[in-house]
């Protein structure tokens, strides 16, 4: 039972969507790192809601307030704790949901698991709002990685039927990743944003929502990283990525497309290039046997459509055990994929730092 | 760096493909369980190679020899240790591969990681042979789960372009799962096996290989299982599943197909059925917020084609740092998907027991 | 590198003595527990400084402010986070200690470990002040244990040369433990407090300090608790107890006195009493083979004298690498043993709940 | 529930005293280490029984047989597995103990914990025999440490009333430690062995047993090692040391003697010596705030007298729930302290390597 992750660095996330505050503790972060708070806040803002019609109308300041572990802007080596106040909470919206679980949300299994004691307002601890502390932790981790030449960036590779396909797994530049990693609507092809936004706006007008896929890459990783068998880069990244609400699939390199391939096309051949071992393709996403092979680390995650849709849905009353029809009200994202890009990058940064340290 | 998995029960896997023996230690397995060794051996045989043309010609007895933790057929509560001797190892096949990594295999990153000290013969510790101890551990776990009414079964849902589509995620019977779980070539549609075998035979004749997808289900799980955020059923299963060699993707329920859906079709609505909460669909694969919702647990894994193909491939010599062309010889599976079904089931059984205990 | 402990419940402690705040996150605490905040505050006050001449003159309110995990006084099942503001910090006292480590404190090894980036003021994260969040966590754990009939209490068994010897390891009543567990100066013999206070006052007048021993007991634990070998009750308690600043020894039952015994006197014999297995003595402190045997759990911890003494001591300047003589100023406990009693009880409560849950 | 220890390197111990074999798996041991098997066997022999009257008459070959992880005498980086056959087991000795627990042994709590399914013969998994795999693991760890200049050695500091007092905590030479670490009866004062042996022989003649204290030191550790709060060198060493059967106390430096000291004598002052920070005394045993301070690491453990004594003792029959008088027969150590020295060193080596790696 754990909102804690990491082996060498531990991230402990706390808070509930409509409680007093959310935050995290980062234990084991290296001492002596000068934090660039502008970069941290840029990532926080990238995730924050309320910026345009593609996201929820709820506005949050999401300003991280550090309580410990940083002295005069430099990490001290002791646990870094951070709190974000919840200021904009309209709890009234949720009062009638206590006994009637919203389809697609954690409401029903959480009710069973916690015996009805969990804070249902806004999804409580299961809310997407809890990704804010994760983005904070990732922003710190990223600064240490960048000093080691490791750059992380992700793009929206699909929303509904629209795909951003011009991402070459074996030819990833640091310029591209740096640009993606500050983009509020990160795509490789510049023309694809308009099409994707149209899909989202269409869902919003129908009071519906839409899912997508995020593809993430990291370059600068040396070959040979990752543990044996159950402690590989794939195992550790996937465990952390499934901790992001709404993620329902994780694949490395060609992933599920491997099923259609034969070995002779799937294998990534080698050549010597500038005196170093190089790969001629990157179907394996930079990972062989769970260990980095020096090619760019590339993986993608499936994000399901926001379950909060304002159409009538069949549900049940857990107290009377009778059928009910539920119409979810409140302010919701018609598509969380654009905001989730920063979260996927943050999780990746944290896990990679934990592996490297 | 860890071939160890589990929180409450710990599985520690050891051995190298062409070393003296492989095996495992299971720490924390409950005391007082009478082991049905016929069932254990049936699972071992299902995974074992050499049964037909679809798998490698290497024959192994794969007989588990128990050293501790079981007295008169009943578990004692102390660690269960098991050893399988490696009897049929033709190491000569691999001697020239020491410096020339096989594309698609772990050879190159393992060489870097272990400074060339790792046992390269047959893939060493990275060999698919190391799944034999996992199947053993899963066979033990499964017996405890079955006493609690939890049944696990998987089928080959795809090989190359051939799909086994008649699997209804929301209507999974224990009869079907029991039948699949002893099937050496597990499919739901009876006519699909011939087509899939044809694809595999076709690859074999070309000295090539082919990938696929395995879909796995578990029924009998109560709602409310799983921890918070990074310790959910999804996180724990995925971390363990990526420990299986050749697995490159994991998705729950609709997985990557969620990207094409809108929320109103993706959500699984509720109704009261026989006085209990029931779901009208199962797009979420029995998991909401990372916690079981009482619907069948359904997920699938992508399996890449065996990298050992006997066609010439570009590689490099890690000692001379010159390009070479490599033709891999030896006995290989043209498709490991059929044998991997038992491994996916075993990992699932072990993780679920670890969660439930 | 971890201020995190626990397997099933995880306690993550954060903060620095003179930073903005200290606090903790408790992850995995059971849902549905109604917290008795009066009891929590009573424990916080028992640990808090400034109550009399035996402790430091620094006064702290030590009021825990809960940010998440508790709704209307009842635990929700999601992480419980708590913050205590640091209000009374006279950092000026410490400014000259940056480069000159105080003997007996963590200053020097912390300087090396953190490259001089750690917050030196008041000992930073190494301060005894960080035991306040531990007492909070223990106070919560204790309430769950008490509902299960498990009672914990500790007494000062020694200060300098004065011992509180009337504690019968095999005959521990819940009345005694309950009384000790609210006592600000917990002793079994009523007359011993005066003598112990005299020893402390004597040290204070000399600007010196004095050490002691705390003996702790828990009753109501069933036989059979604890894991194998490295996960026994002894291993888990000792690892946590050494996390308390100034603890330098842990022994169970007769502990180091076993060295003087022969087996025939050391063994605790059995008899049937009221139809149940009972022990005739308790030299093993309720633990055999690392597992509870049904007798009271009894152990003791050695607490070293507070290193902050106001006599001149030899030290070095870590920047100039020259010898210096240091006189530590500031407000210090001449003896922390009385205040540490509540911390030992808290750690015990947390570990036992973690084992039982 | 875990016979597994370690963070970066994991040791998994298995086996039962009278089962087929005992052994261990070491996961995460570095690749490329050339193992000196003579040194390994020397440590195994030092622990092995049957050498003289001070230990049990049971003779065991204790020859470790390596199954994986070592190729041509060099570690491969994959898990090292090792098996020792149990050849000399006279199980008849224990048949009548099934229902009548031996006082001082784990029999009764193990019976409760495992529901009577545990292997009672020779103490099963709780047997001191299970320290053989620990010594093996420690012997491997020690070789890596020695290459880094870290030397470990321990001596018998007390048996009954006889103490070996000439051990200067602040002046420990590598010569002394090396000599102690191969000594089958390790003492600093040469004349003390005869006196200690007389105490043991006296116990043996009375069919009784005697306890003692082992003091262990490690030199060559840099300052700054160890994690925060619950992950310090003290926490990790103590947790592992309590995993050794019969250990009932652990203290660092002056340990319980700190209770009698005042701060001004307890503190270890600093001086610059040869341009480096040096300590003028070592009451803290080389650890401040849980972190190494550069002085020798010194701690001691209390070992209780072997509970197997051949005098009649009161016990109970767990099946009939009636009182019984038990006389334990079989071959037992009148004092296990001399043999336990190698085990304490081994645990120390393993934990230190796990911290440093």
């Amino acid at each position: 039972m754990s909102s804690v992750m990491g082996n060498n660095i531990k991230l402990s996330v706390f808070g509930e969507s409509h409680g007093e505050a959310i935050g995290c503790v980062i234990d084991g972060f290296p001492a002596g790192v000068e934090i660039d708070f502008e970069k941290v806040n840029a990532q926080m803002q990238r995730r924050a809601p309320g910026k345009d019609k593609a996201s929820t109308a709820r506005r949050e300041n999401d300003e991280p307030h550090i309580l410990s572990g940083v002295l005069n802007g430099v990490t001290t080596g002791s646990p870094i704790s951070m709190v974000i106040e919840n200021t904009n909470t309209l709890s009234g919206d949720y009062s009638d949901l206590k006994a009637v679980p919203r389809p697609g949300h954690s409401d029903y299994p959480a009710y069973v698991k916690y015996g009805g004691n969990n804070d249902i307002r806004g999804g409580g601890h299961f809310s997407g709002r809890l990704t804010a502390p994760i983005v904070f932790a990732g922003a710190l981790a990223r600064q240490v990685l960048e000093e080691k030449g490791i750059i992380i960036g992700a793009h929206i590779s699909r929303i509904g039927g629209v795909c951003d396909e011009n991402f070459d797994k074996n030819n990833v530049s640091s310029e591209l990743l740096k640009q993606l990693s500050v983009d509020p609507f990160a795509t490789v092809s510049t023309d694809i944003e308009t099409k994707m936004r149209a899909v989202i706006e269409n869902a919003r007008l129908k009071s519906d929502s839409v899912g997508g896929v995020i593809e993430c890459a990291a370059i600068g990783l040396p070959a040979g990283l990752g543990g044996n068998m159950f402690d590989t880069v794939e195992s550790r990244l996937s465990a952390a990525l499934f901790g992001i609400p709404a993620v329902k699939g994780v694949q490395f390199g060609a992933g599920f497309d491997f099923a259609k391939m034969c070995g002779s096309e799937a294998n990534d051949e080698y050549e010597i290039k500038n005196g170093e071992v190089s790969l001629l393709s990157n179907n394996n996403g930079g990972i062989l046997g769970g260990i980095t092979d020096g090619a760019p680390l590339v993986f993608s995650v499936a994000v399901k459509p926001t379950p909060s849709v304002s159409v009538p849905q069949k549900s049940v009353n857990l107290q009377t055990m009778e059928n009910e029809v539920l119409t979810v009200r409140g302010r919701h994202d018609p598509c969380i994929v654009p905001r989730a890009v920063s979260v996927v990058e943050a999780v990746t940064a944290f896990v990679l730092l934990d592996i490297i340290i």
Side-chain angles (χ1 to χ4, degrees), chain A residues 41-203:
Chain A
N41 285 327
Q43 289 302 325
M44 299 304 285
Q45 287 316 307
R46 211 172 149 222
R47 193 215 68 91
K51 292 184 301 282
D52 58 32
K53 284 192 295 186
S55 69
T56 170
R58 174 176 171 175
R59 285 183 164 283
E60 290 285 357
N61 218 7
D62 277 5
E63 205 169 318
H65 183 76
I66 291 175
L67 298 178
S68 69
V70 181
L71 189 63
N72 305 323
V74 178
T75 58
T76 62
S78 76
I80 300 170
S81 56
M82 183 277 294
V83 163
I84 300 169
E85 274 187 78
N86 286 330
T87 52
N88 187 350
T89 54
L90 299 178
S91 297
D93 287 355
Y94 296 89
S95 53
D96 56 342
L97 297 177
K98 183 78 189 173
V100 184
R102 296 167 298 171
H105 273 290
S106 63
D107 298 2
Y108 170 60
Y111 181 93
V112 175
K113 181 176 168 67
Y114 297 119
N117 293 292
N118 57 308
D119 186 353
I120 188 77
R121 299 169 301 157
H125 188 59
F126 294 88
S127 168
R129 181 151 176 68
L130 269 294
T131 57
I134 295 175
V135 168
F136 172 82
L140 263 58
R142 192 178 278 211
Q143 295 189 20
V144 181
L145 292 175
E146 281 177 8
E147 280 176 37
K148 296 175 192 286
I150 298 165
I151 314 292
I152 295 165
H155 71 118
I156 308 170
S157 71
R158 173 172 205 150
I159 284 186
V162 182
C163 297
D164 181 29
E165 285 169 331
N166 292 330
F167 187 84
D168 178 353
K169 288 186 180 61
N170 203 29
N171 197 359
V172 183
S173 71
S174 67
E175 291 67 37
L176 174 62
L177 295 186
K178 280 179 181 169
Q179 171 207 312
L180 290 173
S181 72
V182 292
D183 194 337
F185 199 106
T187 55
V188 177
S189 313
T190 44
D191 59 331
I192 211 81
E193 178 172 343
T194 318
K195 291 180 193 165
M196 285 178 168
R197 284 193 181 274
V199 173
I200 298 172
E201 179 64 6
N202 186 35

Side-chain angles (χ1 to χ4, degrees), chain A residues 84-343:
Chain A
I84 300 169
E85 274 187 78
N86 286 330
T87 52
N88 187 350
T89 54
L90 299 178
S91 297
D93 287 355
Y94 296 89
S95 53
D96 56 342
L97 297 177
K98 183 78 189 173
V100 184
R102 296 167 298 171
H105 273 290
S106 63
D107 298 2
Y108 170 60
Y111 181 93
V112 175
K113 181 176 168 67
Y114 297 119
N117 293 292
N118 57 308
D119 186 353
I120 188 77
R121 299 169 301 157
H125 188 59
F126 294 88
S127 168
R129 181 151 176 68
L130 269 294
T131 57
I134 295 175
V135 168
F136 172 82
L140 263 58
R142 192 178 278 211
Q143 295 189 20
V144 181
L145 292 175
E146 281 177 8
E147 280 176 37
K148 296 175 192 286
I150 298 165
I151 314 292
I152 295 165
H155 71 118
I156 308 170
S157 71
R158 173 172 205 150
I159 284 186
V162 182
C163 297
D164 181 29
E165 285 169 331
N166 292 330
F167 187 84
D168 178 353
K169 288 186 180 61
N170 203 29
N171 197 359
V172 183
S173 71
S174 67
E175 291 67 37
L176 174 62
L177 295 186
K178 280 179 181 169
Q179 171 207 312
L180 290 173
S181 72
V182 292
D183 194 337
F185 199 106
T187 55
V188 177
S189 313
T190 44
D191 59 331
I192 211 81
E193 178 172 343
T194 318
K195 291 180 193 165
M196 285 178 168
R197 284 193 181 274
V199 173
I200 298 172
E201 179 64 6
N202 186 35
R204 192 183 69 83
L205 293 174
K206 291 188 197 158
S207 301
D208 211 333
S209 64
V210 65
V213 174
I214 295 166
E215 188 174 41
C216 184
I219 59 170
L221 294 166
L225 286 182
N228 284 335
M229 210 171 273
F230 305 113
D231 196 39
T232 65
V233 173
E234 290 172 330
S235 285
R236 289 179 64 178
L237 267 176
S238 70
L241 291 164
F242 275 115
I244 305 173
V247 167
K248 294 298 282 188
V250 173
Q251 61 185 359
F252 290 83
F256 281 88
D257 285 344
F258 272 122
K260 309 173 200 160
M261 293 180 176
C262 56
S264 56
E265 47 177 335
N267 285 349
D268 300 313
E269 295 177 295
Y270 297 100
E271 67 168 355
I272 300 294
K273 200 170 157 184
N274 304 326
E276 297 198 339
V277 176
S278 174
L279 290 96
L280 292 167
S281 57
N282 190 14
N283 290 314
N284 284 286
I287 307 275
L288 288 169
I291 312 176
T292 54
D293 63 14
L297 170 68
V298 183
F299 63 87
S300 53
V301 303
V303 181
K304 73 176 187 179
T306 328
S308 294
V309 292
S310 300
V311 295
Q313 294 177 92
K314 290 180 192 166
S315 186
V316 296
N317 186 309
L318 296 169
Q319 273 146 22
T320 63
M321 290 301 269
E322 285 175 1
N323 290 324
E324 287 209 10
V325 171
L326 177 75
T327 305
V328 179
R329 288 194 191 79
R331 304 156 297 170
H332 308 293
D333 288 285
C335 183
I336 55 164
V337 177
R339 292 173 58 203
V341 170
S342 64
V343 185

